[in-house]
Amino acid sequence: PYIKYNSRILLKDNYVYCMSGGSRLIEVMDVSDPTAPHILHSLDIEYINNAIIQDHYIFAACNGEGFKIFDIADPGSWVEVY
């Protein structure tokens, strides 16, 4: 159920954002209970070369799709803002 080959993992509060090196997924996992992490949201996007979290945004450099910004204020429902 989880991404097999992570190229980048970001942590904010009780959420882990896993970006795949082998597919087109970003997954956000709730890790508030580390013994039972679960996926809240998956997003299919062009391969991510790099990403950072600032406040409630993910800034991502995506191969083929350029620069993307996602509002992650609600980790279970992202909004692409750019």
Side-chain angles (χ1 to χ4, degrees), residues 6-65:
N6 292 307
S7 61
R8 183 112 172 127
I9 296 175
L10 304 172
L11 175 67
K12 180 167 175 55
D13 302 323
N14 288 317
Y15 304 99
V16 172
Y17 298 83
C18 300
M19 283 142 242
S20 173
S23 71
R24 297 169 46 107
L25 287 177
I26 302 175
E27 290 181 341
V28 59
M29 291 187 285
D30 182 337
V31 293
S32 55
D33 178 357
T35 64
H38 61 278
I39 296 172
L40 291 178
H41 185 70
S42 292
L43 181 66
D44 183 6
I45 187 168
E46 191 69 31
Y47 301 99
I48 296 172
N49 295 323
N50 200 358
I52 62 167
I53 294 178
Q54 178 69 41
D55 299 322
H56 59 91
Y57 296 101
I58 288 181
F59 299 88
C62 304
N63 189 26
E65 291 186 21

